[in-house]
Amino acid sequence: MKESKTCIKDIIQAMGLVFGDIGTSPIYTLTVIFLVTKVTTANVIGVLSLIIWTLIMLVTVQYTWFAMSLSKRGEGGTIVLNEILRKLLKSSRAVAFFSLLTYLGISLMIGDSVITPAISILSAVEGLKLINVLHNIPQSAILVITLIITVMLFSVQKKGTETISIAFGPIMVVWFLALGLSGLQSVMHMPAVCTALNPLNGLKFIAHNGLSGFLVLSEVVLCATGAEALYADMGHLGRKPIIYAWYMVFGVLVMNYLGQGVFLINHPNATNILFSMVMSEAKVLYIPFLIVSLLATIIASQAMISGLFAVVYQSINTRIMPMFKIDYTSEKINSQIYIGTANWFLMVFVIAVILFFKESSKLASAYGFAVTMTFNITITLISTIFFLKKKYFAFLVTLCLMLIDLSFMTAIFSKIHTGAYWSIIIAAI
């Protein structure tokens, strides 16, 4: 009985620490996709299929199955993969190449850690415009509120990962329950939407729409943002709580996306699909749902912050970064840490990005770019490790995953704007 309670507690902590980012993707993913895609039943089913199988292949298979099976001292991340790989390589040139790839991965992770809080907090505060009395709130007020929340978020980091995850966990549990129930209620009106579980529908969508269908992948990848945090945060909570929590979160996300698909088919002119769906289902609960969504999107940045601490900690241990003061915030798990220097430097750059871009939509391309590049570097390292360990079946599967990651990256490159390059440069400095 005690073990069951402990396990449930760990899963709730994982929801608060790790899944804030990927758990809030239903707020904007379908809305962004259908800003540029015609709403038809076939298109909705096809896009839903792409989203579901992106979650399966990139998050479940690439990260929870393959990446999280490779650890060192219970920790995960790009640096851990490089340490494992170095012991298998015989050529100094190969060591140098993969070390360079690792440094690029670290840079992208740092850039992602800057972009994630900026875009998640901005999008949360911009949601205030959905309330009638705040419809005309000026952008300057949005920025001020965003900056206040940003400073508060980084100020509580010194309390430690465990304390923060305990506080954030229950909020995310409420959020996921709301997502699951709202999606289920919508799906009950059109069970046929479950045909989206068939991957052939996603492939048909791309084949039927040609280049424009392929380019939709640049928006579809938004459903998987935060996947890299699963692996990077493994040292904070351990492997099992994160994996168990993901299976629950995955079911909720699929149900909600399917529900949004049903609502969109019945309301093709909807501009903010998730909030419009909740409004139509239970108008009296709309404001509470909006408040929980605001809290959830703020929490979304926590996964990347704690992930950054893990990366910096590993970088210090491997002499990639200089020594910084490290505070150990848990008596049970040594990898639960707080690094003040990294925390405050990250906050400064998050504030700089918020002030520079002012709107969350202007950060979307950079967000997708950093995420897909991280995916590609991670799977390259993983596939090489499996090949050198002569685990050829796993190697072949990771090669397939590499092709999928490359497809997403190609779609992102074809649509990326000049401003996005600047955002990545600013974030990764």
Side-chain angles (χ1 to χ4, degrees), residues 201-224:
N201 286 314
L203 297 176
K204 287 179 183 177
F205 170 82
I206 295 176
H208 183 265
N209 291 279
L211 180 61
S212 61
F214 175 75
L215 294 179
V216 166
L217 291 177
S218 63
E219 281 89 28
V220 169
V221 76
L222 292 174
C223 75

Side-chain angles (χ1 to χ4, degrees), residues 107 109-119 121-122 146-147 150-151 154 305 308 312 321 324 340-358 363 422-429:
S107 299
M109 181 70 177
I110 294 172
D112 199 6
S113 299
V114 172
I115 297 172
T116 298
I119 195 172
I121 298 174
L122 258 177
T146 300
L147 294 175
T150 300
V151 173
F154 282 94
I305 296 172
L308 177 67
V312 173
M321 290 186 179
F324 295 120
T341 304
N343 184 66
W344 301 120
F345 267 96
L346 181 60
M347 186 190 75
V348 169
F349 282 108
V350 171
I351 290 174
V353 167
I354 291 171
L355 292 175
F356 186 82
F357 291 96
K358 296 182 174 63
L363 280 163
W422 284 108
S423 68
I424 293 169
I425 292 171
I426 291 173
I429 287 176

Side-chain angles (χ1 to χ4, degrees), residues 62-63 78 101 104-105 107-109 112 221 228 366-380 405-406 408-410 412-413 416 424:
Q62 179 169 323
Y63 278 95
T78 308
L101 205 60
L104 177 59
S107 299
L108 287 166
M109 181 70 177
D112 199 6
V221 76
E228 65 276 22
Y367 199 26
F369 177 87
V371 168
T372 52
M373 283 291 289
T374 303
F375 287 172
N376 276 274
I377 289 172
T378 300
I379 199 61
T380 299
D405 288 344
L406 285 172
F408 281 108
M409 189 174 69
T410 302
I412 285 284
F413 265 113
I416 201 166
I424 293 169

Side-chain angles (χ1 to χ4, degrees), residues 191-266:
V193 74
C194 293
T195 56
L197 295 171
N198 185 347
L200 292 178
N201 286 314
L203 297 176
K204 287 179 183 177
F205 170 82
I206 295 176
H208 183 265
N209 291 279
L211 180 61
S212 61
F214 175 75
L215 294 179
V216 166
L217 291 177
S218 63
E219 281 89 28
V220 169
V221 76
L222 292 174
C223 75
T225 54
E228 65 276 22
L230 274 71
Y231 190 36
D233 281 329
M234 190 165 68
H236 289 284
L237 296 172
R239 180 171 180 264
K240 287 185 178 180
I242 294 176
I243 291 178
Y244 293 156
W246 166 244
Y247 291 150
M248 296 179 185
V249 171
F250 171 74
V252 167
L253 293 179
V254 169
M255 183 60 67
N256 190 263
Y257 280 122
L258 290 174
Q260 287 190 51
V262 172
F263 180 81
L264 185 60
I265 291 170
N266 294 324

Side-chain angles (χ1 to χ4, degrees), residues 86-373:
R86 286 173 69 95
K87 295 179 180 179
L88 302 172
L89 296 171
K90 297 179 181 179
S91 168
S92 58
R93 289 185 178 181
V95 171
F97 171 76
F98 284 107
S99 295
L100 181 62
L101 205 60
T102 299
Y103 298 152
L104 177 59
I106 295 170
S107 299
L108 287 166
M109 181 70 177
I110 294 172
D112 199 6
S113 299
V114 172
I115 297 172
T116 298
I119 195 172
S120 62
I121 298 174
L122 258 177
S123 63
V125 179
E126 286 170 352
L128 293 173
K129 293 181 180 179
L130 297 173
I131 301 175
N132 289 334
V133 295
L134 298 175
H135 181 69
N136 295 319
I137 185 172
Q139 189 62 29
S140 57
I142 293 289
L143 289 176
V144 170
I145 296 171
T146 300
L147 294 175
I148 292 173
I149 294 173
T150 300
V151 173
M152 290 176 62
L153 177 64
F154 282 94
S155 296
V156 302
Q157 295 302 316
K158 60 186 177 182
K159 294 185 179 297
T161 298
E162 188 172 9
T163 302
I164 293 169
S165 62
I166 290 173
F168 285 171
I171 296 174
M172 292 308 299
V173 169
V174 173
W175 169 247
F176 288 127
L177 284 173
L179 285 182
L181 291 174
S182 63
L184 177 61
Q185 183 173 341
S186 188
V187 169
M188 289 173 65
H189 292 95
M190 189 187 292
V193 74
C194 293
T195 56
L197 295 171
N198 185 347
L200 292 178
N201 286 314
L203 297 176
K204 287 179 183 177
F205 170 82
I206 295 176
H208 183 265
N209 291 279
L211 180 61
S212 61
F214 175 75
L215 294 179
V216 166
L217 291 177
S218 63
E219 281 89 28
V220 169
V221 76
L222 292 174
C223 75
T225 54
E228 65 276 22
L230 274 71
Y231 190 36
D233 281 329
M234 190 165 68
H236 289 284
L237 296 172
R239 180 171 180 264
K240 287 185 178 180
I242 294 176
I243 291 178
Y244 293 156
W246 166 244
Y247 291 150
M248 296 179 185
V249 171
F250 171 74
V252 167
L253 293 179
V254 169
M255 183 60 67
N256 190 263
Y257 280 122
L258 290 174
Q260 287 190 51
V262 172
F263 180 81
L264 185 60
I265 291 170
N266 294 324
H267 303 83
N269 295 321
T271 55
N272 195 316
I273 302 170
L274 176 62
F275 289 112
S276 298
M277 180 177 74
V278 173
M279 176 70 81
S280 69
E281 291 175 344
K283 191 173 182 179
V284 68
L285 296 176
Y286 177 72
I287 295 298
F289 181 83
L290 178 59
I291 293 172
V292 174
S293 70
L294 291 171
L295 293 173
T297 48
I298 293 170
I299 293 170
S301 60
Q302 180 60 46
M304 296 311 302
I305 296 172
S306 56
L308 177 67
F309 288 162
V311 169
V312 173
Y313 178 69
Q314 293 165 3
S315 299
I316 293 172
N317 287 337
T318 53
R319 304 293 189 271
I320 294 174
M321 290 186 179
M323 291 293 295
F324 295 120
K325 182 184 177 183
I326 300 173
D327 295 322
Y328 295 89
T329 58
S330 173
E331 296 180 358
K332 299 177 182 178
I333 304 178
N334 289 335
S335 54
Q336 287 194 4
I337 56 173
Y338 168 73
I339 304 175
T341 304
N343 184 66
W344 301 120
F345 267 96
L346 181 60
M347 186 190 75
V348 169
F349 282 108
V350 171
I351 290 174
V353 167
I354 291 171
L355 292 175
F356 186 82
F357 291 96
K358 296 182 174 63
E359 296 177 12
S360 60
S361 59
K362 294 180 180 179
L363 280 163
S365 294
Y367 199 26
F369 177 87
V371 168
T372 52
M373 283 291 289

